[in-house]
């Protein structure tokens, strides 16, 4: 499950490659995300902690396909979280002088039965799965605003449906889902209002984080995605094409 909390642009109008920072991207899902973004023209910043060898190998592979298009940064997202987040974002942005996309993929996952869960278990899961994405988003926000970029958080159905003994993990993912919803409102663009706007339109846009009225093409794009091979593992769930309006009370 992925949640997106602000708008990703299309291709850069001035010919530069867009830049994505993907946390925990040396292996598994993160590696697949980095590879897919790279295939679609992004320059990619591969973040790792202990998987330095795998990250370097992936970086070499991607740079072999397109020169100077991948870079590795490292850091432990469970230690000095806010400071580490600031450093990682600064290093990622400095590599090509821009940042268009932050993908919060890094995550811990282990069982925590109530009878023997520890405070250390709680801290490890919450720091990596919630605190790190929060402070990475905070650090990245000014750079993403400059490029009209976006944040994608990798969430989980276990954040919506109870699944003990993955209890603390589920709590952490539920918190990340809520952080995504709040950041979508906080980081959304200013509404595009005509002068003078009709009262109903003004009220509608004020409650729509993306700040614009949706189009038929927005719905059509979602249909094309669902009809494509890219959605082959999506079933029984919906895509809410509403500019974020459903997030507000």
């Amino acid at each position: 499950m992925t949640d997106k909390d602000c708008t990703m642009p299309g291709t850069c109008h001035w010919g530069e490659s867009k830049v994505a920072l993907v946390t925990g991207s040396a292996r598994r899902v993160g590696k697949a995300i980095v590879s897919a973004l790279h295939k679609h023209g992004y320059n990619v910043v591969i973040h790792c902690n202990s998987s330095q060898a795998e990250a370097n190998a992936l970086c070499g592979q991607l740079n072999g396909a397109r020169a100077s298009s991948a870079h590795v940064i490292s850091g432990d997202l469970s230690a000095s979280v806010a400071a580490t987040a600031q450093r990682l974002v600064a290093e990622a942005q400095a590599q090509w002088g821009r940042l268009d996309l932050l993908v919060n993929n890094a995550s811990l996952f282990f069982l925590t039965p109530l009878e023997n869960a520890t405070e250390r278990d709680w801290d490890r899961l919450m720091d990596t799965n919630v605190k790190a994405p929060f402070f990475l988003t905070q650090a990245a926000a000014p750079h993403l605003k400059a490029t009209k970029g976006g944040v994608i958080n990798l969430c989980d159905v276990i954040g919506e449906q109870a699944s003990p003994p993955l209890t603390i993990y589920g709590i952490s993912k539920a918190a990340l889902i809520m952080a995504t919803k709040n950041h979508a409102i906080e980081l959304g663009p200013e509404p595009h209002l005509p002068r003078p706007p009709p009262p109903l339109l003004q009220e509608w846009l004020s409650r729509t984080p993306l700040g614009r009225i949706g189009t038929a093409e927005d719905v059509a794009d979602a249909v094309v995605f669902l009809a494509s091979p890219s959605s082959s593992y999506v079933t029984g769930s919906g895509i809410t094409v509403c500019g974020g309006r459903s997030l507000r009370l």
Side-chain angles (χ1 to χ4, degrees):
M1 177 180 175
T2 60
D3 280 0
K4 188 174 96 176
D5 66 15
C6 44
T7 308
M8 282 196 299
T11 56
C12 295
H13 297 298
W14 49 91
E16 296 179 75
S17 292
K18 293 177 286 185
V19 176
L21 165 60
V22 184
T23 63
S25 51
R27 301 183 295 148
R28 297 190 292 266
V29 174
K31 178 180 179 180
I33 292 170
V34 159
S35 299
L37 289 170
H38 187 268
K39 181 179 178 181
H40 284 84
Y42 276 84
N43 286 349
V44 291
V45 180
I46 303 162
H47 161 261
C48 67
N49 181 22
S50 59
S51 303
Q52 188 80 46
E54 293 96 329
N56 289 337
L58 176 59
C59 184
Q61 174 188 337
L62 297 178
N63 281 329
R66 178 157 45 91
S68 303
S69 60
H71 178 70
V72 174
I73 58 176
S74 61
D76 183 355
L77 289 172
S78 68
S80 303
V81 177
T84 300
Q86 287 282 347
R87 176 180 64 80
L88 292 177
V89 168
E91 290 182 12
Q93 193 276 339
Q95 181 62 25
W96 288 286
R98 62 182 295 134
L99 184 64
D100 300 84
L101 177 62
L102 167 65
V103 181
N104 285 310
N105 167 73
S107 182
L108 285 182
F109 177 94
F110 55 85
L111 304 179
T112 53
L114 180 61
E115 64 271 16
N116 57 19
T118 66
E119 185 175 6
R120 175 60 178 154
D121 292 337
W122 176 277
D123 289 344
R124 289 179 64 207
L125 286 160
M126 297 300 286
D127 282 355
T128 302
N129 296 359
V130 186
K131 191 174 179 180
F134 181 94
F135 284 104
L136 284 161
T137 300
Q138 181 190 68
H143 305 300
L144 297 173
K145 183 177 181 180
T147 59
K148 294 183 172 59
V151 181
I152 296 176
N153 293 327
L154 272 291
C155 300
D156 198 310
V157 293
I158 294 174
E160 297 180 332
Q161 301 290 334
S163 186
L166 288 166
T167 306
I168 300 176
Y169 171 80
I171 293 169
S172 74
K173 288 299 185 178
L176 182 58
I177 291 168
M178 185 53 65
T180 305
K181 293 178 179 181
N182 279 273
H183 289 160
I185 296 169
E186 289 188 273
L187 300 178
E190 292 297 316
H192 301 296
L193 290 170
R195 297 180 182 179
L200 180 60
L201 177 61
Q202 185 172 6
E203 189 278 335
W204 183 273
L205 289 178
S206 72
R207 295 171 61 83
T208 304
L210 288 187
R212 66 176 178 84
I213 298 297
T215 67
E217 288 72 24
D218 292 321
V219 177
D221 286 343
V223 171
V224 169
F225 164 70
L226 290 172
S228 75
S230 296
S231 70
S232 62
Y233 204 60
V234 177
T235 188
S237 59
I239 296 176
T240 307
V241 186
C242 68
R245 183 171 170 82
S246 63
L247 298 175
R248 290 185 181 270
L249 290 174

